[in-house]
Amino acid sequence: MARVWMFGNDVNTDQIIPGRYAPYMLKNEHDLRKYPFVEARPDFAPNVEPGDLIVAGPNFGCGSSREYAPLALKMVGIGAIVAPLFARIFFRNALNLGIPCFTADLTQTLRDGEQVALNVEQGVILTERGMRIELPAPPSFMREIWSAGGIVPYYRAYGRFPGEQRA
Amino acid sequence: MVGIMIAQTLSEQILSHAAGHPVRAGDVATVSVDLVMMHDSLSPSIIKVLHEELGAERVWDAQRVAVVIDHVAPASNIQTAEKQAGLRQWVRDQGITHLFDVGRGISHQVLVEEGLAQPGLVIVGSDSHSTAYGCVGAFGTGMGTTDIALAAATGRTWMRVPETVLVRAIGRFRPGVSAKDLGLRAARILRADGATYASVEWHGIDFLSIGDRMTLATLSIEIGAKAGLIPPIGPAASGLRIPDWLAVQAGADYVRTVDIDLSHLEPQVSAPHYVDNVVDLTELGRVAVDVVYLGTCTNGRYEDMAAAARILKGRKIASGVRMLVVPASSEGLRQAAEDGTLRTLLAAGATIGTPGCGACIGRHMGVLAPDEVCLFTGNRNFRGRMGSPQANIYLASPEVAAATALTGYITHPQDVLER
């Protein structure tokens, strides 16, 4: 089972990782895993478990291009992020790192702290309350990047960008 | 591009050119990149992905990668100093000629001053405010570590061609009102996600300087935009290399049009902790400040310092207020030193920092304490952005910043000019 971590609207990358906690600023870059939501939600990093689900309102990840924001979420093993709208740089960064992002509004459907089972491949969430939630399927090129493990393994495997025709 | 009959937005024109075939909003296209910008904060991770994950030994074109040390400049501690030293060595090893080191200024301002950003180019940068390059009519967009590493390795990137939101300015600013107020007004109307995945075109501002255009181009990301383009026309565009295929086309498709009448625009203030939390300054009530901070790629240029100096001239900033000025570039600082702007700022009681990003990312050079209030000419007032999450940041123009420094509370420029 996975825990639901509920966040509000317009969660920015300074909230996910303040600039002062960038790998650039750290003595040990692996410490990044200690700092997701360090100020915005201090109970997150000590309690998050691999596979847990972030559910948020619109414009999740707005602000900076800092890839270490989704990287920190990857380091703690976030299973997926579900929001009705993602800020575009965050979305690309998360896609590139292979973090599943589903575009849907579950802020009124799920509750913070609730236990759910998430099947990323099928895009299905089952709740302890007996709900079955089907997530909208992402475009095929995104699923291809996820299944390759991110854009770098994708590019190394295919020698091209998604949708690119190479002579 | 001969044979295209369908009118295109500026983004569609530039991305069609870069893709080598006509593209329309909604298409996913692979495009060639003209310039890749990386700064000190993300460069160590970009270099790591480039060599260790992608297995590339060299960047695709050493003349078309620009490296700027601006985010923590000068270095604040041993970690950043060591990483900057490593970055300089890497630049030498790669044969990269466009290194702009500590003190030269903020990447976006520097690349425009150096003439590297030109109309019609595709420029990707490891900084969200890379929308800045739209000030000259380039398609500039921010990306993270992995995308920038891929672009630097291949000279290409993939992109969904954005729809375009049109912001049309009408009329002229009243005294004490400037480009920042237009940008914040647009954020107030469109909100923080109003142009997500889209491009913004700013029309009706042909009279503005390149610097003022950069204010609007950088604020485009604060309404979610992928790019923020100003058509390269008007007196300020006369020195630019404008390709003959790049021009606003009648009938281009805009998903939304917003008209803003500059002649009725009041100074705008973005209140904590979201950029789109914007009100007319006159609605704000009395907000006392501890710090006035003039700087950043949005409003730290020579013309911003000069606008502040016109209000501060012959006056002293209020007791108990600290006014920090961090120029966007060494060139802006030089101009301010030569024409007396700097003398005016210093005489009023302001202090000057090394050109660069300064405290905008909350790492050094003016970090805020709990409960401190800062009037900031930058682009983000997120909680904790400039230091303590208990600090409060208000965004406004350089004119409002100067007026506020004189009184100690957020002040309409006209109120001090009439005294």
Side-chain angles (χ1 to χ4, degrees), chain B residues 102-124:
Chain B
V102 170
R104 179 63 185 87
I106 304 170
S107 56
H108 314 309
Q109 179 64 21
V110 171
L111 297 197
V112 169
E113 286 177 2
E114 296 282 338
L116 291 170
Q118 291 288 340
L121 300 185
V122 174
I123 305 175
V124 298

Side-chain angles (χ1 to χ4, degrees), chain A residues 19 24 67 86 92 156 164, chain B residues 40 53 146 156 197 363:
Chain A
Y24 186 35
E67 192 167 302
F86 288 89
R92 272 187 89 110
R156 294 202 74 157
E164 184 179 26
Chain B
D40 53 314
E53 294 183 29
T146 305
R156 307 194 319 284
Y197 309 123
R363 291 172 176 169

Side-chain angles (χ1 to χ4, degrees), chain B residues 384-418:
Chain B
R385 173 78 181 175
M386 297 178 74
S388 168
Q390 282 86 46
N392 285 307
I393 305 165
Y394 291 79
L395 305 178
S397 69
E399 292 84 350
V400 170
T404 299
L406 290 174
T407 61
Y409 57 92
I410 297 178
T411 298
H412 195 304
Q414 285 301 97
D415 292 350
V416 294
L417 290 172
E418 284 164 8

Side-chain angles (χ1 to χ4, degrees), chain B residues 138-352:
Chain B
F139 187 95
T141 196
M143 294 178 164
T145 295
T146 305
D147 275 320
I148 292 298
L150 265 164
T154 67
R156 307 194 319 284
T157 192
W158 71 273
M159 224 176 264
R160 184 183 165 282
V161 180
E163 287 81 15
T164 294
V165 173
L166 176 61
V167 178
R168 267 192 315 209
I170 300 154
R172 290 289 188 275
F173 295 115
R174 292 189 291 183
V177 183
S178 62
K180 181 61 156 292
D181 302 301
L182 170 58
L184 292 181
R185 184 67 173 203
R188 180 177 179 171
I189 296 167
L190 286 160
R191 309 309 304 253
D193 57 1
T196 300
Y197 309 123
S199 166
V200 179
E201 278 185 33
W202 301 84
H203 291 191
I205 52 167
D206 314 344
F207 62 97
L208 289 183
S209 68
I210 295 294
D212 285 340
R213 297 177 191 200
M214 203 191 293
T215 302
L216 298 168
T218 54
L219 285 171
S220 301
I221 176 70
E222 306 311 329
I223 47 181
K226 185 179 291 190
L229 286 134
I230 293 95
I233 50 176
S238 63
L240 299 172
R241 297 194 292 273
I242 305 165
D244 56 11
W245 47 263
L246 183 67
V248 171
Q249 295 177 356
D253 190 22
Y254 301 106
V255 288
R256 185 171 173 190
T257 299
V258 171
D259 287 330
I260 298 176
D261 185 351
L262 304 183
S263 61
H264 288 102
L265 189 61
E266 282 285 321
Q268 304 290 295
V269 178
S270 169
H273 297 283
Y274 296 94
V275 180
D276 60 356
N277 186 22
V278 176
V279 295
D280 284 2
L281 187 150
T282 51
E283 299 168 49
L284 197 61
R286 190 182 169 97
V287 179
V289 307
D290 302 286
V291 178
V292 171
Y293 187 111
L294 192 152
T296 79
C297 54
T298 295
N299 278 120
R301 276 171 285 281
Y302 164 76
E303 48 261 66
D304 301 314
M305 291 186 276
R310 280 194 289 277
I311 292 168
L312 294 171
K313 194 165 182 64
R315 297 178 161 109
K316 289 274 183 196
I317 64 175
S319 165
V321 174
R322 314 190 295 278
M323 182 170 182
L324 309 180
V325 177
V326 180
S329 71
S330 57
E331 175 58 22
L333 178 58
R334 183 194 63 76
Q335 272 183 276
E338 282 186 2
D339 77 352
T341 295
L342 191 54
R343 190 187 317 131
T344 302
L345 296 175
L346 294 172
T351 190
I352 309 291

